[in-house]
């Protein structure tokens, strides 16, 4: 009995805590629109502790991003990208004896690269912005030949796979293409910008009918680019959008593209009645969702909704992303180990169950629920804009240069 | 071992593909156009379905998706078909949906009066404009079957809970809830119940089986049952109206001219 208790105590030593519970005050500051204070609190709470590094870097990156500290955010998110890549490989010893490492869900990976692309865009590192924006496309990682393997893994973990007709919609983020095009436009590479914008419109056409992908404001610009560059896609675009007139920059005018990051990501929660983990969308404040320039309101279009991508796949989709067939194998082996060698396997099995539950109930809550874009054509000069914020409309002065694209980033409700 | 595990997981009723939902679930999530596509796929596998019911669903789902013309064409098709007979409340809902299709397309007082004859808004004060929003909510009552005796089924109906209150926001003002103006839930529920209680044909050997699968009628589950109307005088010019739907808050720009009334239809 004593030996068994000792084994149990040793086995359960160093189990993971619940990161989201411990960082609740940090997240509350972010929700209140005080990300700089949130970042400072995060540093204090995580210094010299054993919290999962990936979750810490993701939060650090998101908080600095929200605070407009693009450099610090890009460094943290780069660290998160490296950690995320490392964790794609399943380490049996880590799974068996160590803490079950948190793996990002697809919508979290897409958010990570999208935020990083925005960081680079604001740092005027347009080439890096293009690379990051393209990485929001998960298909690049999973080559076409790997689709079958992905489906097999999904089957293995949850008993079913992603609806094949929607795989492209889940894998490729329209906002990624939009940002890539924007970076190229800022570089003056109109041909490259057209190709990415055109791909964004194509993705919109293949998305489910009621998917939250809105690119209407972009269409006149793409038609103008197609005409100007004499692209072969010109006729096809005119067939897709009959009656829409091409519209490019007018002389003496510039364009402000407002990137609005709306809300916060969904979180996982244990349903007390059904005793299952489920995905819950974050509450959204009923605050204005539009920009105002020269007294006229402009409604930003939601180009990609990460919340929707997550909710459509549900918790089973998230589980597929967090777990690997290797981890399922380790759990199965432990279960049989319990049957064969109870005294040795019980503490390991208990620890395993705890670690897996903790891994599957964590999430990156500070990612934006939705990415929206408002395009404003304005005369060159300085303008006072009203932009959506976490406390209502917020005034921001923006300097517009003739013929140039200025990018503004805000966090909305 | 893998196959064994996969079989065990399949047995836990998670066999449908990730990201796919039934038409009813899609409608409840605020995805009516996808609900219609999913329903079409289901109907394609059921050659015995009533085409009149299918067209009714099409009309209601296209209406909910904002395809007013497509919805109107489907209603016209419905009138030309034979089959499913509408109950009184269903006929009222159909007439109102057709009237709101017209209202959404024409956006004038005459179309509004056709949809809501007893609720004509007054014209705006001089130099002002007016916004009138028509919200649609609710759904078909839920039919429940109870067995008092082993062989006799009794039907009751329960109101389907509203998925979300009708809420809207004008520009940067605080959001407001709109009370229900007209609800057909109770009337429809009563009619469904009385229809279901029609004595069973004793020579029909499949009658108990049909009872066990939820009653003898098909339900027009895609139709709304509750209407709310918000009316507001505004300054002329551009405004942003944000409405809450089950799929989230949706802002839209509305230009209101002096002396004009702008009508908006907001399906569930």
């Amino acid at each position: 009995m004593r030996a068994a208790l000792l084994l149990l105590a040793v086995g359960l030593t160093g189990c993971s805590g619940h990161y989201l519970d411990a960082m609740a005050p940090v997240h509350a500051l972010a929700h209140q629109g005080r990300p700089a204070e949130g970042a400072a609190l995060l540093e204090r709470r995580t210094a010299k502790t054993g919290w999962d590094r990936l979750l810490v870097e993701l939060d650090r990156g998101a908080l600095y991003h929200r605070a407009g500290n693009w450099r610090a955010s890009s460094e943290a998110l780069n660290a998160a990208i490296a950690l995320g890549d490392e964790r794609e490989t399943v380490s049996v010893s880590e799974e068996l004896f160590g803490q079950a490492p948190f793996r990002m869900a697809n919508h979290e990976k897409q958010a990570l690269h999208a935020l990083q692309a925005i960081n680079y865009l604001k740092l005027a590192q347009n080439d890096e912005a293009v690379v990051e924006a393209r990485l929001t496309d998960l298909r690049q990682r999973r080559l076409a030949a790997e689709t079958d393997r992905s489906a097999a893994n999904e089957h293995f973990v949850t008993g079913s796979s992603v609806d094949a007709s929607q795989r492209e919609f889940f894998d490729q983020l329209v906002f990624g293409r939009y940002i890539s095009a924007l970076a190229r436009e800022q570089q003056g590479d109109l041909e490259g910008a057209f190709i990415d914008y055109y791909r964004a419109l194509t993705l919109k056409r293949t998305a489910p009918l009621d998917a939250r992908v809105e690119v209407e404001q972009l269409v006149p610009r793409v038609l103008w680019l197609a005409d100007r560059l004499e692209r072969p896609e010109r006729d096809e675009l005119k067939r897709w959008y009959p009656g829409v007139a091409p519209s490019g920059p007018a002389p003496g005018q510039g364009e402000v593209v407002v990137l609005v990051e709306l809300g916060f990501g969904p979180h996982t929660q244990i349903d007390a009645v059904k005793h299952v983990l489920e995905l819950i969308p974050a509450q959204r404040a009923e605050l204005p969702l539009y920009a105002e320039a020269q007294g006229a309101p402009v409604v930003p279009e939601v180009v990609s909704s990460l919340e929707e991508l997550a909710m459509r796949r549900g918790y089973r989709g998230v589980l597929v992303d967090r777990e690997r067939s290797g981890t399922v194998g380790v759990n199965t082996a432990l279960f049989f180990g319990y049957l064969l060698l109870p005294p040795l396997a019980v503490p390991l099995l208990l620890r395993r169950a705890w670690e897996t539950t903790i891994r599957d109930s964590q999430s990156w809550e500070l990612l934006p629920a939705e990415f929206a874009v408002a395009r404003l054509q304005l005369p060159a000069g300085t303008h006072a804009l009203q932009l959506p914020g976490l406390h209502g409309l917020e005034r921001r002065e923006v300097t517009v240069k003739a013929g140039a694209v200025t990018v503004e980033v805000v966090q909305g409700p | 071992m893998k196959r064994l595990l996969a079989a065990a997981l399949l047995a836990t009723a998670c066999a449908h593909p990730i990201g796919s939902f039934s038409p009813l679930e899609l409608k409840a999530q605020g995805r009516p156009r996808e609900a219609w596509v999913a329903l079409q796929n289901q109907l394609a596998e059921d050659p015995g379905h009533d085409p009149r019911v299918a067209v009714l669903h099409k009309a209601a789902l296209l209406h909910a998706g904002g395809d007013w013309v497509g919805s109107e064409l489907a209603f016209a098709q419905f009138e030309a078909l034979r089959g499913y007979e509408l109950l009184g409340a269903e006929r009222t809902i159909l007439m109102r949906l057709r009237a709101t299709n017209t209202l959404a397309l024409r956006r004038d007082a005459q179309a509004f009066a056709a949809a809501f004859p007893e609720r004509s808004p007054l014209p705006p004060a001089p130099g002002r404009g007016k916004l009138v929003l028509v919200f649609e909510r609710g759904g078909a009552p839920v039919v429940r079957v109870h067995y008092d005796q082993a062989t006799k089924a009794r039907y009751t109906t329960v109101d389907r809970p509203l998925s979300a209150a009708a809420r809207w926001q004008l520009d940067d003002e605080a959001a407001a809830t709109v009370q229900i103006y007209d609800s057909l839930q109770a009337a429809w529920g009563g009619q469904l119940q009385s229809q279901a209680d029609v004595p069973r044909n004793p020579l029909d050997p499949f009658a108990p089986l049909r009872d066990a699968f939820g009653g003898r009628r098909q339900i027009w589950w895609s139709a709304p049952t509750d209407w709310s109307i918000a009316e507001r005088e505004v300054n002329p010019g551009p405004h942003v109206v944000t409405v809450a739907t089950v799929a989230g808050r949706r802002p839209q720009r509305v230009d209101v001219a002096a002396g004009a009334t702008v009508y908006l239809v907001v399906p569930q």
Side-chain angles (χ1 to χ4, degrees):
Chain A
M1 182 65 184
R2 260 192 225 160
L5 283 173
L6 188 67
L7 271 172
L8 193 68
V10 171
L12 299 181
T13 309
C15 277
S16 301
H18 200 291
Y19 175 82
L20 295 182
D21 288 349
M23 297 304 146
V26 175
H27 293 172
L29 285 169
H31 281 259
Q32 290 161 20
R34 295 154 64 190
E37 291 168 63
L41 185 59
L42 179 84
E43 302 300 351
R44 286 202 297 279
R45 288 206 161 211
T46 56
K48 294 177 186 170
T49 59
W51 289 116
D52 189 307
R53 273 193 60 216
L54 177 54
L55 285 163
V56 175
E57 294 295 354
L58 287 171
D59 272 357
R60 183 179 285 139
L63 287 163
Y64 283 130
H65 177 88
R66 286 176 178 271
N69 188 344
W70 316 115
R71 178 75 57 200
S73 173
S74 70
E75 284 166 8
L77 294 183
N78 267 337
I81 290 167
L83 280 166
D85 286 345
E86 273 173 31
R87 290 181 185 188
E88 287 305 309
T89 310
V90 176
S91 156
V92 174
S93 62
E94 201 175 37
E95 291 286 338
L96 200 53
F97 303 111
Q99 294 171 337
F102 166 81
R103 290 190 192 90
M104 283 181 283
N106 281 358
H107 70 279
E108 290 164 336
K109 284 181 197 164
Q110 289 173 319
L112 169 61
H113 291 294
L115 290 183
Q116 189 69 308
I118 295 172
N119 284 340
Y120 284 132
L121 205 60
K122 291 301 290 180
L123 290 166
Q125 293 175 239
N126 288 317
D127 287 335
E128 284 84 350
V130 169
V131 171
E132 287 300 331
R134 289 295 184 88
L135 285 171
T136 58
D137 181 350
L138 298 172
R139 186 67 61 86
Q140 290 192 339
R141 288 159 173 252
R142 281 192 242 147
L143 296 173
E146 284 191 48
T147 303
D148 290 344
R149 217 180 72 182
S150 302
N153 187 56
E154 288 157 5
H155 257 293
F156 189 71
V157 174
T158 66
S160 61
S161 60
V162 169
D163 186 349
S165 64
Q166 295 187 39
R167 196 175 280 281
E168 187 174 81
F169 167 66
F170 287 129
D171 280 358
Q172 302 188 33
L173 201 65
V174 178
F175 184 71
R177 295 292 169 159
Y178 204 118
I179 290 292
S180 177
L182 213 49
R184 290 187 191 280
E185 216 175 348
Q186 283 202 321
Q187 282 176 313
D189 174 10
L190 294 186
E191 199 84 35
F194 172 82
I195 290 167
D196 277 325
Y197 280 142
Y198 175 72
R199 182 66 187 146
L201 296 184
T202 313
L203 285 174
K204 155 71 183 167
R205 291 178 66 81
T206 56
L209 286 170
D210 295 308
R212 194 112 204 247
V213 182
E214 300 158 3
V215 283
E216 300 307 312
Q217 286 178 23
L218 182 61
V219 173
R221 178 76 167 178
V222 181
L223 289 170
W224 176 81
L225 280 171
D227 279 345
R228 182 172 165 183
L229 302 168
E230 296 181 354
R231 295 285 312 183
E233 298 89 347
R234 187 168 45 172
D235 292 338
E236 186 183 33
L237 282 166
K238 282 179 179 157
R239 271 201 312 279
W240 287 357
Y241 304 103
V244 179
S247 168
Q253 288 211 326
E255 195 169 25
V256 179
V257 178
V258 185
L259 304 179
V260 190
E261 299 167 1
L262 292 165
F264 291 86
H267 60 277
T268 41
Q269 183 176 296
I270 296 174
D271 184 309
V273 179
K274 297 183 206 157
H275 300 292
V276 290
L277 283 162
E278 58 182 8
L279 210 55
I280 308 288
Q283 288 280 332
R284 308 273 288 270
E286 289 181 319
L287 291 168
L289 287 171
Y290 61 92
E292 206 173 280
Q294 297 183 315
V298 179
V299 176
E301 289 181 323
V302 174
V303 175
S304 287
S305 172
L306 296 166
E307 180 184 86
E308 186 193 31
L309 288 171
M311 297 308 294
R312 274 180 185 260
R313 293 169 79 229
Y315 189 72
R316 278 195 299 149
V318 172
L319 194 66
V320 161
D321 304 334
R322 301 240 194 278
E323 297 294 339
R324 298 286 178 275
S325 36
T327 59
V328 177
V330 168
N331 288 343
T332 313
L334 265 178
F335 176 73
F336 284 102
Y338 167 74
L339 296 178
L340 297 172
L341 295 164
L344 192 67
V346 164
L348 285 176
L349 191 65
L350 284 174
R351 181 187 166 120
R352 186 77 224 132
W354 171 260
E355 290 289 328
T356 307
T357 308
I358 288 289
R359 163 166 62 199
D360 293 341
S361 60
Q362 306 291 353
S363 50
W364 182 23
E365 287 186 3
L366 295 187
L367 57 84
E370 294 177 325
F371 288 109
V373 181
R375 299 186 79 107
L376 316 170
Q377 297 273 355
L378 294 167
T382 302
H383 297 269
L385 307 179
Q386 296 282 337
L387 301 177
L390 290 171
H391 302 289
L393 290 181
E394 292 169 7
R395 186 188 148 96
R396 187 177 289 194
E397 291 214 336
V398 179
T399 303
V400 179
K401 290 178 190 161
V405 173
T406 309
V407 176
E408 286 296 315
V409 183
V410 293
Q411 280 84 40
Chain B
M1 175 56 70
K2 276 187 181 180
R3 283 169 196 274
L4 194 70
L5 278 171
L9 284 165
L10 276 171
T12 58
C14 45
H16 70 86
I18 296 169
S20 76
F21 299 93
S22 71
L24 200 60
E25 285 171 324
L26 285 164
K27 171 74 172 39
Q29 290 166 10
R31 299 184 179 124
R33 291 182 298 173
E34 287 176 49
W36 169 234
V37 173
L39 186 62
Q40 275 177 297
N41 294 337
Q42 274 188 6
L43 294 173
E45 291 171 9
D46 175 17
H49 72 265
D50 185 335
R52 218 168 179 230
V53 178
V55 173
L56 263 187
H57 286 309
K58 179 182 181 182
L61 291 170
L62 292 183
H63 173 91
D67 180 358
W68 319 113
V69 175
S71 170
E72 203 42 36
L73 288 171
F75 277 127
Q77 199 184 346
F78 171 82
E79 300 294 359
L81 284 169
R82 284 177 179 277
Y84 182 83
E85 287 300 324
L86 291 171
L87 296 171
E90 290 170 341
R91 172 60 64 185
T92 311
I93 291 170
L94 181 143
M95 300 302 286
R96 185 160 286 164
L97 285 180
R98 294 196 74 166
T100 44
N101 277 339
T102 310
L103 176 62
L105 288 166
R106 290 199 347 222
R107 293 186 169 197
D108 62 12
Q110 201 182 349
F112 183 86
F116 304 98
E118 292 162 11
R119 179 74 161 76
S120 290
L122 294 169
R128 303 266 285 166
K130 189 168 253 190
L131 268 171
V132 176
L133 279 78
V134 176
F135 293 88
E136 294 171 352
R137 289 287 182 276
V142 182
V143 178
R144 298 249 166 92
V145 190
H146 307 267
Y147 288 92
D148 297 334
Q149 298 163 13
T151 53
K152 191 182 176 193
R154 181 170 59 83
Y155 295 88
T156 57
T157 56
V158 185
D159 283 3
R160 191 176 292 277
L162 290 178
S163 43
R167 282 180 71 75
W168 76 296
Q169 185 176 20
L170 178 66
D171 299 328
D172 58 352
E173 294 176 4
T177 301
V178 190
Q179 299 303 313
I180 292 173
Y181 166 68
D182 187 19
S183 174
L184 288 162
Q185 283 258 358
W188 194 2
Q191 288 168 11
L192 273 173
Q193 203 171 322
S194 61
Q195 183 77 12
D197 282 339
V198 167
R200 185 196 297 161
N201 178 0
L203 298 177
D204 180 359
F206 296 107
L209 194 65
R210 268 199 288 278
D211 289 348
F213 283 96
R216 295 167 212 171
R217 282 193 66 87
Q218 300 193 61
I219 308 284
W220 186 18
W221 51 262
S222 50
T225 49
D226 304 314
W227 282 265
S228 305
I229 298 169
E231 191 180 329
R232 179 76 189 275
E233 261 190 16
V234 294
N235 287 326
H239 294 274
V240 176
V241 173
T242 307
V243 293
T245 71
V246 282
R249 293 172 72 226
R250 298 283 185 268
Q252 71 177 100
R253 181 182 155 139
V254 182
D255 292 295
V256 186
T261 301
V262 174
Y263 298 90
L264 292 177
V265 178
V266 186
Q268 184 156 261

